[in-house]
Amino acid sequence: MPRFSIVVPSHGVAGRLSQALDSILAQSFGDFELIPVCDAPDSPAADVVAGYAERDSRVTPVHSPPSAGLAGARNTGLRSAVGGHVLFLDGDDVLVPGALAALDARLREVGDVDVLYFEHERTPWWEGEPANPAAPLLVGTPDGAFCPDRAPRLTGVALPAWSAAYRRGFLTEQGLAFPGDHFTDTGFGGLVALRAERVAALRTVVVRHLLRRQGNRLNLPGEHHAELLDQTELVLTRAVEQGLPADRLRPLFEQLFAAVLKTAAHPRRLPTGRRAFFRRASALYRQHRPAGHQPPGGSLGVQHRLLAAGSYAAFRTLRAANQRAARAAALFPRPRGLRTRLRYAAGLRLPLDENLAVYCAYWGRGYACNPAAIHAKARELAPHIRSVFLVEPDAVDSVPKDVEYAVIGSRKYWQVLARAKYLVNNANFADAVVKRPGSVHLQTQHGTPLKKMGADQATYPVVAAATGSFARLLARVDRWDYNLTSNRHSTEMWEKAFPGAHETLEYGYPRNDVYCTASAEDVARVRKELGVPDGKKALLYAPTHRDYATGFASGLDLAEFCEAVGDDYVVLLRAHYFYDQGSSRGGGRIIDVTEHRSSEDVCLAADALITDYSSIMFDYANLDRPIVVYADDWEVYREVRGVYFDLLESPPGRVARTPEELAAVFRDGGWADESATALRAAFRERFCQFDDGRAAERVVRRVLLGEPPESIPPVIPLAKRVPAPAAATLVRS
């Protein structure tokens, strides 16, 4: 039995069908059957499918007459399916690279749930930014498998059928099929959500939906809009029969009638029968309105009340008034936005403060990384410059007591942003920040790129959807005057990923200076602060973020690993900064250092690094201490996320693919043997070119003090650098 059955109706899309089929057959995960549903054996789509069926035995076409519509085609495909889980894909949509692997991985995590909902990307047919409408519905769902009662807003009616994977046994046992023809996704999604007992979410884009030039066929004028009321009545009737709890019935009712009201408010969709549509909708509203239901506020709430009262004439009048008001409102900003804009605009009219520098790291997460290192060196070399660090409200405690800060969004925040001569960030400032003539923007970055970044993400839909607007991204890049790099590889990759007119500074990363300046006493102090026992070797385990996974889930059982490698070791666990909130994941010989402010301190404390694909390996290599790569899902990561080079061909040390291999590397000493040392030496030659302990000084002198390039201290050759000493005695190059 294949893992997945993928049903692809093909009516009217013969010209684009190959794109959909290719996206499926090119998946790295190959355990599936592909069921194209054609109109007839001699139809144009059938001719396209026939070639695929001859070349690949996984392609098993079936036929459904056009008169059966989309629902009939899907039901025909469903009856032919034998896979464990069923996916429905429209004939002009595509699966993103790595989609099936991501689904399989998620299903292994959560078990064979009845439904696995996932995100999708809606891509304009010609130009414009893609949208991800499923993300807001899935963002608050529990991390693992859960009962639908725990996510009442996940009703199924607001998601298309191709935004979920369904356990085939569940659909069969419950007798679930696509109802009607038009708006069949609404009925099917609602019925599925009502019957499901265990569901889960994958907060990753799996399907790319190409919006048609003529728009969604359901939105075109016609009598078919009456079927929206059929599906609404079907779902609500089943909900009542099932005795759906009130906390689930209310959002189901609201989402269904949001669609109904949207249709009622668009006269072009209903060239005839508007009054009849409204009256039937009104009757359904009164019949199925949950007890104690409160209409929403504003104009939408008025529409709810008029629908409940059956006041079509008043509804029609309100609709016209709202359209006029919306056109007028677009000309004026909201009051709060207006105050902010006026305050910021007033600051922009004042002269630049030539002695004001503003710093920010990780979108305001705290006093950290390259901006913090530059800030500290500026206080030493350029004390005349006032330095203000920008932080979110919950990160104020991370700022040293003697450092001036401004809370993001506050009046002071906008004041200093408006007038600062120097703006330093390792991410990007808000889109609203204006690049003033004479101001200097320094982008410091926050790592060496293994994974694809910036504009290079455009061909990897899973991460492109999370990136958002590439037009806005490039607009932010246009504000940069300088971009910092720590090696020639980064220089080349940043030029591709962030094309712009800025100057590249091959000065090294200031945050890495400490790896050449820290003393044995500094290492001992940090180890004591972190709680590393005397005489133990500390192994830093620092996995990176997975775009295709939900939440932090270590791919390694650290307790079992500690047991396997022996009592000489403790593990310092540092999850990716996306997951630095929540309860401790430590215990026993595992010390959770995720929330420790300084990753540099954590690296100094560690005698060796275990990581997967995190950029921390490039920074840690400056210490010339052993690095072991744990690459249990490299193929999936490489395909979904995209990478700039094959890490497994050019690793910084030994590579392990399984927990057993990883434990063996430490038991037999392979982690620090001659082979590992040689790999690390080659890695350091390539990626530790400019990190010599003086990067912050070079940045301050060039950017803040305006010294000419020829007067900037040159980079110390790698062979002449002395890394900070490790606490344990290891085999060193």
Side-chain angles (χ1 to χ4, degrees):
M1 180 178 69
R3 178 65 150 161
F4 298 108
S5 293
I6 307 173
V7 178
V8 185
S10 61
H11 178 68
V13 294
R16 297 184 293 273
L17 183 59
S18 293
Q19 185 176 354
L21 301 182
D22 287 342
S23 76
I24 300 169
L25 295 173
Q27 293 288 311
S28 59
F29 185 92
D31 187 14
F32 62 84
E33 63 170 350
L34 173 54
I35 308 175
V37 186
C38 306
D39 294 342
D42 58 349
S43 65
D47 291 340
V48 174
V49 169
Y52 285 89
E54 291 176 0
R55 296 189 298 270
D56 198 315
S57 61
R58 295 173 297 179
V59 181
T60 56
V62 296
H63 302 97
S64 176
S67 58
L70 177 62
R74 287 175 173 169
N75 289 334
T76 298
L78 178 58
R79 287 192 295 269
S80 302
V82 296
H85 286 77
V86 182
L87 286 83
F88 300 95
L89 190 70
D90 284 355
D92 52 357
D93 295 344
V94 297
L95 288 181
V96 301
L100 295 184
L103 289 173
D104 177 69
R106 184 60 173 152
L107 287 171
R108 292 182 186 277
E109 291 177 2
V110 299
D112 286 335
V113 292
D114 297 332
V115 189
L116 175 62
Y117 295 101
F118 49 75
E119 296 177 7
H120 63 269
E121 181 184 85
R122 293 181 180 269
T123 306
W125 75 275
W126 177 241
E127 63 181 2
E129 299 303 326
N132 185 347
L137 294 172
L138 303 183
V139 68
T141 55
D143 287 338
F146 57 92
C147 172
D149 290 347
R150 295 182 59 194
R153 296 201 61 79
L154 192 58
T155 66
V157 301
L159 291 174
W162 36 260
S163 198
Y166 311 88
R167 185 169 61 84
R168 186 174 61 85
F170 158 71
L171 297 179
T172 302
E173 294 160 6
Q174 297 295 330
L176 291 167
F178 287 87
D181 186 9
H182 298 93
F183 301 98
T184 185
D185 283 10
T186 299
F188 181 76
L191 295 177
V192 164
L194 289 175
R195 296 294 181 86
E197 295 180 357
R198 292 182 74 250
V199 302
L202 173 62
R203 291 188 280 273
T204 294
V205 171
V206 171
V207 172
R208 179 186 293 167
H209 173 68
L210 179 63
L211 297 174
R212 301 177 181 181
R213 185 185 179 195
Q214 65 272 31
N216 190 330
R217 286 176 291 189
L218 293 179
N219 294 335
L220 297 177
E223 298 178 355
H224 64 277
H225 287 282
E227 292 188 34
L228 174 58
L229 300 180
D230 294 340
Q231 302 293 350
T232 298
E233 183 174 16
L234 172 64
V235 173
L236 289 175
T237 299
R238 294 286 178 84
V240 172
E241 292 173 351
Q242 186 174 312
L244 195 69
D247 60 344
R248 289 186 62 190
L249 183 58
R250 280 192 291 270
L252 176 63
F253 176 87
E254 291 170 358
Q255 290 178 23
L256 284 169
F257 276 94
V260 170
L261 285 168
K262 187 175 182 180
T263 296
H266 285 268
R268 294 180 182 177
R269 297 185 184 180
L270 295 166
T272 61
R274 297 175 197 166
R275 187 182 298 271
F277 181 94
F278 185 89
R279 286 178 175 173
R280 185 184 172 198
S282 177
L284 288 174
Y285 189 99
R286 292 191 298 270
Q287 179 184 354
H288 293 284
R289 178 173 47 189
H293 174 260
Q294 294 294 325
S299 175
L300 181 59
V302 176
Q303 293 182 44
H304 273 257
R305 292 182 177 88
L306 294 177
L307 187 63
S311 303
Y312 176 71
F315 182 87
R316 184 176 57 185
T317 302
L318 176 66
R319 180 180 60 201
N322 284 341
Q323 291 171 343
R324 291 193 298 269
R327 289 192 292 267
L331 302 176
F332 299 96
R334 295 181 178 179
R336 179 174 296 181
L338 177 61
R339 287 196 298 269
T340 299
R341 291 180 184 182
L342 290 176
R343 186 180 302 125
Y344 184 51
L348 292 173
R349 288 195 295 269
L350 298 174
L352 281 176
D353 187 335
E354 298 290 329
N355 293 318
L356 175 60
V358 171
Y359 299 81
C360 190
Y362 299 114
W363 305 275
R365 289 181 57 253
Y367 186 82
C369 196
N370 292 319
I374 297 171
H375 173 276
K377 183 59 69 172
R379 299 176 74 187
E380 173 189 335
L381 299 180
H384 62 285
I385 294 180
R386 175 192 173 197
S387 299
V388 181
F389 223 93
L390 307 181
V391 291
E392 290 286 355
D394 57 358
V396 169
D397 291 341
S398 74
V399 182
K401 299 300 182 184
D402 59 343
V403 171
E404 184 180 0
Y405 68 88
V407 174
I408 291 177
S410 67
R411 176 175 296 187
K412 181 179 179 180
Y413 166 82
W414 289 108
Q415 287 175 339
V416 295
L417 279 175
R419 300 201 59 198
K421 166 81 171 183
Y422 308 101
L423 294 95
V424 181
N425 207 327
N426 73 349
N428 264 304
F429 290 99
D431 289 344
V433 173
V434 174
K435 174 66 168 72
R436 296 186 63 178
S439 65
V440 177
H441 285 240
L442 169 64
Q443 170 58 251
T444 74
Q445 305 293 347
H446 53 270
T448 291
L450 167 62
K451 61 189 178 185
K452 292 294 180 76
M453 299 293 291
D456 289 340
Q457 297 174 337
T459 56
Y460 293 85
V462 171
V463 290
T467 300
S469 167
F470 284 96
R472 288 198 294 270
L473 169 67
L474 294 177
R476 294 190 290 269
V477 171
D478 288 341
R479 296 184 304 204
W480 302 354
D481 293 290
Y482 299 106
N483 185 35
L484 203 57
T485 178
S486 59
N487 47 62
R488 189 57 49 79
H489 162 80
S490 295
T491 300
E492 296 174 1
M493 298 310 106
W494 292 149
E495 287 179 359
K496 292 174 52 185
F498 304 114
H502 52 266
E503 179 181 350
T504 297
L505 300 180
E506 292 184 324
Y507 286 176
Y509 282 158
R511 71 179 185 188
N512 292 344
D513 286 353
V514 68
Y515 298 142
C516 293
T517 61
S519 64
E521 291 74 17
D522 294 323
V523 173
R525 171 185 54 79
V526 173
R527 286 170 67 92
K528 183 176 181 180
E529 290 177 359
L530 297 179
V532 178
D534 292 338
K536 299 291 186 181
K537 294 183 178 68
L539 306 179
L540 172 58
Y541 177 52
T544 192
H545 167 62
R546 299 293 194 278
D547 299 273
Y548 48 87
T550 302
F552 174 74
S554 172
L556 180 66
D557 188 318
L558 293 179
E560 290 185 2
F561 172 76
C562 288
E563 186 68 24
V565 298
D567 294 337
D568 290 341
Y569 302 94
V570 296
V571 172
L572 304 176
L573 168 61
R574 189 169 181 86
H576 191 276
Y577 59 80
F578 284 177
Y579 314 120
D580 63 355
Q581 303 297 321
S583 59
S584 173
R585 292 165 282 250
R589 288 159 55 199
I590 304 168
I591 304 172
D592 189 350
V593 296
T594 301
E595 296 188 20
H596 189 78
R597 179 182 62 83
S598 171
S599 62
E600 295 76 50
D601 279 358
V602 173
C603 288
L604 286 174
D607 298 296
L609 170 68
I610 303 171
T611 188
D612 40 25
Y613 326 118
S614 171
S615 64
I616 198 173
M617 72 179 77
F618 302 99
D619 304 318
Y620 191 83
N622 286 287
L623 290 168
D624 197 16
R625 301 178 191 175
I627 302 173
V628 177
V629 175
Y630 179 55
D632 60 333
D633 61 346
W634 169 248
E635 289 75 17
V636 175
Y637 185 88
R638 178 176 58 187
E639 183 165 337
V640 175
R641 188 59 177 84
V643 295
Y644 286 115
F645 68 93
D646 191 334
L647 177 64
L648 272 56
E649 291 185 358
S650 305
R654 295 289 295 273
V655 176
R657 302 301 302 270
T658 67
E660 293 75 19
E661 289 181 4
L662 182 63
V665 165
F666 285 90
R667 284 199 306 268
D668 64 18
W671 62 307
D673 63 11
E674 291 184 5
S675 173
T677 301
L679 289 170
R680 185 170 73 252
F683 192 85
R684 296 183 73 233
E685 285 286 344
R686 182 179 181 185
F687 296 112
C688 298
Q689 290 172 282
F690 311 137
D691 289 339
D692 64 349
R694 302 189 69 180
E697 178 185 352
R698 283 190 282 269
V699 171
V700 171
R701 291 190 182 280
R702 176 68 188 283
V703 178
L704 300 185
L705 297 178
E707 296 182 7
E710 57 271 17
S711 68
I712 304 302
V715 174
I716 300 172
L718 185 63
K720 295 184 178 181
R721 302 175 202 165
V722 180
T729 302
L730 301 173
V731 177
R732 299 278 299 272
S733 61

